[in-house]
């Protein structure tokens, strides 16, 4: 009987407190449900990013949930790059970069991350032309955040499908807009992608020159890392 009592006291006063302490010290992930509505995805992403800004480590674990399909990824990227400076400051956050590089939907995330550089670069030219200086400044800020994210994704020691496709996109754009750039079979496929993209958005010569300049800036920073 004495041993049973001792065992019970051991469970109550030693083992249970240890288990509770381990539970409190752990970080539990609250998964973000898949959103089919773009606006809802943006709202959810804003909440996640704001929580991360406030030091919530559980919110960092949610970032991978946004890398599962196009709607979720676009919602996160818009919230990150085009809303406010506080969220934009997270563009190089290690948890975000890890989520991007390890994306479940690698092709979509890589494509979007490069589009995030290209579109505001071209749009800034349009706003400048129309005299919309505030909108031009906003596009330039979005471009800079997107550039920071792309550079942060390029870690020489780590090569993922996302990082490889990002680099391939940039090389394709260099080939497309610079006749002196080298061509290869993969570039030809992605060059066709960007030819169609630029035609869709009717980018003119000045916008394409600005895109090439932005791409060259990123590639130069890649080579310095």
């Amino acid at each position: 009987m004495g041993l049973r009592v001792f065992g019970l006291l051991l469970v109550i006063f030693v083992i249970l407190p240890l288990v509770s302490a381990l539970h409190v010290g752990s970080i539990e992930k609250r998964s973000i449900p898949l959103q089919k509505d773009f606006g809802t995805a943006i709202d959810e992403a804003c909440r996640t990013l704001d929580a991360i800004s406030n030091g919530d480590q559980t919110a960092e674990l949610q970032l991978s949930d946004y890398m599962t399909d196009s709607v979720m990824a676009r919602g996160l990227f818009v919230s990150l790059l085009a809303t406010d400076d506080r969220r934009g400051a997270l563009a190089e956050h290690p948890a975000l970069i890890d989520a991007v590089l390890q994306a479940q939907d690698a092709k979509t995330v890589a494509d979007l991350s490069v589009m995030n550089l290209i579109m505001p670069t071209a749009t800034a030219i349009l706003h400048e032309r129309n005299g919309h200086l505030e909108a031009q400044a906003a596009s330039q800020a979005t471009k800079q955040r997107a550039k920071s994210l792309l550079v942060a994704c390029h870690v020489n020691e780590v090569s993922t499908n996302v990082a490889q496709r990002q680099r391939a996109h940039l090389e394709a754009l260099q080939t497309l807009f610079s006749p002196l750039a080298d061509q290869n079979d993969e570039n030809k496929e992605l060059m066709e992608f960007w030819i169609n993209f630029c035609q869709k958005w009717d980018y003119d010569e000045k916008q394409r020159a600005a895109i090439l300049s932005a791409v060259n800036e990123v590639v130069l920073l890649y080579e310095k890392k």
Side-chain angles (χ1 to χ4, degrees), residues 144-174:
Q144 290 301 321
R145 294 165 187 155
K147 183 170 82 171
S148 295
L149 187 149
L150 282 171
V151 172
C153 283
H154 187 75
V155 181
N156 290 331
E157 293 80 4
V158 179
S159 182
T160 68
N161 290 336
V162 171
Q164 291 171 3
R165 188 168 177 84
Q166 286 172 337
R167 184 62 183 257
H169 270 300
L170 297 176
E171 291 174 352
L173 283 160
Q174 286 182 313

Side-chain angles (χ1 to χ4, degrees), residues 33-68:
L34 186 66
Q35 303 292 340
K36 292 301 182 183
D37 177 72
F38 184 44
T40 305
I42 291 175
D43 292 340
E44 194 69 56
C46 284
R47 284 191 286 271
T48 297
L49 294 173
D50 290 344
I52 293 172
S53 293
N54 291 327
D56 186 347
Q57 290 181 297
T58 61
E60 295 179 10
L61 300 178
Q62 297 170 350
L63 291 170
S64 60
D65 292 335
Y66 292 94
M67 302 298 155
T68 55

Side-chain angles (χ1 to χ4, degrees), residues 143-144 147 151 212-222:
K143 167 195 167 183
Q144 290 301 321
K147 183 170 82 171
V151 172
L212 177 60
S213 177
V215 168
N216 287 340
E217 288 174 12
V218 173
V219 173
L220 181 62
L221 290 170
Y222 276 7

Side-chain angles (χ1 to χ4, degrees), residues 63-190:
L63 291 170
S64 60
D65 292 335
Y66 292 94
M67 302 298 155
T68 55
D69 81 332
S70 175
V71 174
M72 296 291 284
R74 287 190 297 120
L76 179 68
F77 283 137
V78 167
S79 303
L80 174 73
L81 304 175
T83 52
D84 62 32
D85 290 338
R86 191 175 182 218
R87 294 176 189 135
L90 298 173
E92 298 176 89
H93 193 289
L96 174 75
I97 300 305
D98 285 345
V100 170
L101 288 175
Q102 302 299 329
Q104 180 178 329
D105 189 349
K107 179 179 181 296
T108 295
V109 170
D111 293 358
L112 287 173
S113 63
V114 178
M115 288 182 205
N116 290 335
L117 174 73
I118 302 311
M119 296 191 76
T121 299
T123 304
I125 299 296
L126 184 62
H127 288 317
E128 178 186 29
R129 187 175 296 153
N130 294 331
H132 301 154
L133 300 185
E134 187 174 339
Q136 179 191 4
S139 292
Q140 290 284 11
T142 300
K143 167 195 167 183
Q144 290 301 321
R145 294 165 187 155
K147 183 170 82 171
S148 295
L149 187 149
L150 282 171
V151 172
C153 283
H154 187 75
V155 181
N156 290 331
E157 293 80 4
V158 179
S159 182
T160 68
N161 290 336
V162 171
Q164 291 171 3
R165 188 168 177 84
Q166 286 172 337
R167 184 62 183 257
H169 270 300
L170 297 176
E171 291 174 352
L173 283 160
Q174 286 182 313
T175 302
L176 180 62
F177 296 136
S178 175
L180 299 180
D182 295 331
Q183 294 191 31
N184 57 53
D185 291 338
E186 187 174 13
N187 271 357
K188 290 176 182 178
E189 174 203 342
L190 295 179

